[in-house]
Amino acid sequence: NLRNGDASTKPTSSPERVGRDSITSWVDVGEDGTKSIFYPSNTTVYPSSQNDAAPHAPLVLRDSQPYVDFLFVNRRGAVETCSGLMFENMNINVSSQQYSRVERPKFIPGRSLMSIRQGGPRRDWAMSSGFVDREWAEWWAMEFLQARQWWMRYPVGDAMGTYVPVVINPAKNSISIYDRSKQQMPHVDFTVALGLEG
């Protein structure tokens, strides 16, 4: 698979949609292990494949709207890239546990509840694959959402950002890949929670 590498399960029937500044990858399994090659957005010349037959490079469609870049470990054990669209929202999750406070009886009223914060505040975002064809919708649901490790380029929207660990969950338990009663392209929505506190 000269397009994405043998360690990738990305569809080859249509281009992968990425952002203008997104990093793309080519991943392969060789005799000496899994190899991941990452290409910055300004790459125009790609190295040749191991057998020097033809250059290998992901076929991508660069979009003018901003995308969020991810790294993830796919089911074949390779670190691969993909890019998603962010909805216009960010949340900060703060959780705490309340406990009843027992005091000695007295005539002056005192506080009967106390609250203890559970871990630090965490940022999370709602994101999407964007409108994609059926094959890409299946890939997002079966490959990206099923991964066990993810990293996101952060700060979001910063082309010079650093990849930080994140946790990704589907927006709904059931993901609709296609519905012939509706004339629209599918999209896979998910939430991204920053793996770092603060």
Side-chain angles (χ1 to χ4, degrees):
N1 179 353
L2 290 176
R3 178 172 153 179
N4 299 311
D6 290 336
S8 176
T9 62
K10 288 181 179 177
T12 56
S13 59
S14 59
E16 178 183 4
R17 296 180 65 104
V18 298
R20 185 179 60 242
D21 300 320
S22 293
I23 295 170
T24 56
S25 62
W26 187 85
V27 292
D28 201 20
V29 177
E31 294 176 2
D32 51 351
T34 303
K35 176 172 59 175
S36 298
I37 299 174
F38 301 99
Y39 302 112
S41 59
N42 58 1
T43 301
T44 55
V45 178
Y46 297 91
S48 294
S49 59
Q50 291 177 347
N51 60 8
D52 287 329
H56 56 254
L59 179 60
V60 296
L61 178 62
R62 294 203 176 269
D63 203 331
S64 58
Q65 58 185 327
Y67 277 66
V68 180
D69 289 345
F70 295 97
L71 294 174
F72 69 99
V73 179
N74 69 18
R75 73 178 94 155
R76 295 180 178 168
V79 177
E80 196 169 11
T81 61
C82 70
S83 302
L85 288 170
M86 183 169 66
F87 294 135
E88 294 297 322
N89 70 356
M90 180 187 82
N91 300 307
I92 295 182
N93 290 328
V94 180
S95 61
S96 61
Q97 183 69 42
Q98 291 185 352
Y99 297 95
S100 296
R101 188 173 175 190
V102 179
E103 294 182 339
R104 292 183 190 165
K106 56 185 177 181
F107 293 106
I108 301 171
R111 187 174 65 172
S112 62
L113 283 176
M114 66 184 283
S115 177
I116 298 177
R117 185 170 54 88
Q118 305 289 315
R122 295 184 189 273
R123 292 174 173 85
D124 71 32
W125 298 266
M127 297 195 190
S128 176
S129 64
F131 290 106
V132 292
D133 63 27
R134 184 189 302 181
E135 231 185 331
W136 274 105
E138 282 187 43
W139 181 87
W140 277 93
M142 300 294 292
E143 184 70 65
F144 180 71
L145 292 183
Q146 299 300 322
R148 294 188 177 184
Q149 288 180 283
W150 305 268
W151 297 265
M152 179 181 73
R153 191 151 62 161
Y154 185 81
V156 173
D158 185 352
M160 301 302 293
T162 303
Y163 282 94
V164 296
V166 292
V167 174
I168 293 178
N169 288 301
K172 294 188 278 186
N173 289 335
S174 177
I175 299 168
S176 177
I177 301 300
Y178 71 92
D179 184 349
R180 290 184 179 154
S181 67
K182 298 177 182 176
Q183 296 298 316
Q184 66 180 26
M185 293 184 75
H187 55 91
V188 177
D189 299 335
F190 53 95
T191 59
V192 179
L194 194 62
L196 307 173
E197 292 185 1

